[in-house]
Amino acid sequence: MAVLCKPAIAVPEYIITRDDTLELARQLHGDHAQLKLVLRLIEHTGVSRRHLIQPIDKVLEHPGLDARSAIYEEESKARVPAVVRKALDQAELEPRDIDLIVYVSCTGFMMPSLTAWLINHMGFRSDTRQVPIAQLGCAAGGAAINRAHDFCRAYPEANVLLVACEFCSLCYQPSDMGVGSLLSNGLFGDAVAAAVMRGRGGTGVHLERNASYLIPHTEDWISYAVRSTGFHFQLDKRVPGTMEPLAPALRALADEHHWDAGNLDFYIVHAGGPRILDDLSRFLGVPREAFRFSRATLTEYGNIASAVVLDALARMFDEESAQEGQRGLLAGFGPGITAEMALGTWSSTAT
């Protein structure tokens, strides 16, 4: 009985507000032909503030891919362990109890993955399995949950640690002048999240079914151009409309489980932007309030990529509104265009 326990979240200490972002856009791109459009889009992101691993003046510099890679490694090693310890404590487990670590990140690259460093430095067993996921972007939070669920179904006594480490500010490219790139500069934030899925015991979401769905021929709608200067984020203007083709996939998953996707008790979904949440509410026929946890993440932290679903889930834990047996949907959306979806019931009596 795979139960996803309460996630732990940490955001860095440097903060940039929406007003700060708008002023920076005016200062840096005052002569941009579509500045008014960019400012309007940033104003409507729903993001009030974001957290960064460096002061904004450092973020605006581009010291090169090698320097950014060094920052990613240094900051991940400095920030991830405390979040992992908290997630383990909340699941009432120790590092030696973990059988698999799923590590997701689309904003930096290390080989070996940070999983190897965690095993060596935090007391995990040497036979702990590793699954790093680097190329699913924002959908990777959902993918981490689903791969953990698959593992627990194959090994019912197993426990899995999920880690999402996203330093989106390291992907800032001062030379990218496309509207999508400039919008992303006001949307994405930095965060680290972790959670444990227990094969036995625990309080949280008992995972029952999962699935993936890719909208055909949309692989260039969200992408990175990988260049000597690093990752260049590319966002197609059609992305905000992706919930119309994805909502039927969510409904189909629920139908297979004999549930109604429009009549569930909780929804934990990736908050790519307010349009995504508004459209999903409309196409599933659920009230806007159903996505309050995702909206809160977007408002307070911005789009924190793969960490969104874990932060939104943690907010549901904090609200203490879930009751035994209530049904819910978890989903991450990202490049592909890919949806990683799961169904589960709230359980506080798992054995």
Side-chain angles (χ1 to χ4, degrees):
M1 186 175 183
V3 171
L4 183 57
C5 300
K6 183 178 182 179
I9 314 294
V11 290
E13 58 274 26
Y14 301 103
I15 296 174
I16 182 169
T17 67
R18 177 170 51 207
D19 288 343
D20 295 335
T21 301
L22 292 169
E23 182 57 30
L24 274 173
R26 295 186 187 99
Q27 292 176 10
L28 298 173
H29 310 295
D31 58 351
H32 195 285
Q34 294 179 286
L35 178 61
K36 289 184 179 179
L37 172 61
V38 171
L39 295 177
R40 185 167 67 252
L41 291 173
I42 293 174
E43 286 177 341
H44 289 88
T45 57
V47 178
S48 176
R49 63 181 181 273
R50 294 170 292 141
H51 293 252
L52 312 172
I53 59 171
Q54 300 179 100
I56 188 60
D57 58 326
K58 291 293 184 181
V59 172
L60 296 177
E61 296 175 359
H62 195 326
L65 179 58
D66 52 349
R68 282 186 167 177
S69 296
I71 294 170
Y72 177 88
E73 180 172 351
E74 178 183 358
E75 293 291 339
S76 61
K77 290 179 178 178
R79 298 176 186 273
V80 168
V83 181
V84 167
R85 290 189 192 97
K86 186 175 181 181
L88 289 167
D89 288 345
Q90 290 174 168
E92 300 182 316
L93 294 179
E94 299 292 333
R96 64 178 177 272
D97 299 317
I98 297 299
D99 301 286
L100 167 70
I101 301 174
V102 181
Y103 178 84
V104 297
S105 180
C106 63
T107 51
F109 181 81
M110 292 171 58
M111 191 167 71
S113 163
L114 191 73
T115 51
W117 184 86
L118 290 171
I119 290 170
N120 284 323
H121 288 81
M122 291 196 66
F124 295 97
R125 304 191 318 266
S126 293
D127 63 350
T128 305
R129 304 187 196 193
Q130 307 170 61
V131 176
I133 300 175
Q135 294 162 298
L136 279 177
C138 297
I145 292 170
N146 289 351
R147 301 297 75 80
H149 181 209
D150 293 342
F151 190 81
C152 287
R153 287 194 294 182
Y155 303 95
E157 301 292 331
N159 300 307
V160 182
L161 171 68
L162 293 66
V163 181
C165 178
E166 300 290 13
F167 301 146
C168 301
S169 61
L170 292 179
C171 297
Y172 171 72
Q173 297 289 349
S175 63
D176 289 357
M177 293 294 107
V179 171
S181 295
L182 295 179
L183 170 61
S184 73
N185 295 340
L187 180 63
F188 288 96
D190 299 347
V192 175
V196 171
M197 188 175 295
R198 291 185 55 143
R200 289 284 184 268
T203 294
V205 180
H206 166 218
L207 276 296
E208 299 186 26
R209 182 183 291 263
N210 73 66
S212 300
Y213 181 79
L214 183 143
I215 304 174
H217 310 300
T218 57
E219 65 267 28
D220 58 347
W221 287 21
I222 301 175
S223 63
Y224 276 162
V226 183
R227 301 172 184 156
S228 60
T229 46
F231 303 144
H232 291 250
F233 184 69
Q234 299 177 137
L235 182 69
D236 190 280
K237 63 182 180 181
R238 292 170 287 185
V239 168
T242 50
M243 288 304 102
E244 184 170 6
L246 285 182
L250 295 170
R251 285 196 174 277
L253 175 64
D255 288 345
E256 291 171 4
H257 208 54
H258 306 293
W259 290 4
D260 178 0
N263 188 30
L264 300 177
D265 301 297
F266 60 87
Y267 296 83
I268 305 297
V269 302
H270 176 71
R275 167 78 183 276
I276 297 294
L277 298 175
D278 290 343
D279 279 2
L280 195 55
S281 173
R282 178 159 59 96
F283 291 122
L284 290 183
V286 300
R288 293 181 79 257
E289 177 69 8
F291 301 113
R292 62 190 179 278
F293 307 116
S294 300
R295 291 186 191 279
T297 298
L298 184 65
T299 298
E300 296 177 22
Y301 296 159
N303 184 339
I304 49 176
S306 65
V308 167
V309 291
L310 296 179
D311 182 72
L313 179 60
R315 292 172 188 272
M316 188 176 81
F317 272 87
D318 289 339
E319 188 181 82
E320 298 183 343
S321 59
Q323 298 178 19
E324 189 73 24
Q326 286 190 328
R327 300 172 173 181
L329 167 74
L330 298 88
F333 312 118
I337 297 290
T338 301
E340 288 281 346
M341 309 163 287
L343 301 174
T345 55
W346 183 262
S347 174
S348 57
T349 59
T351 58

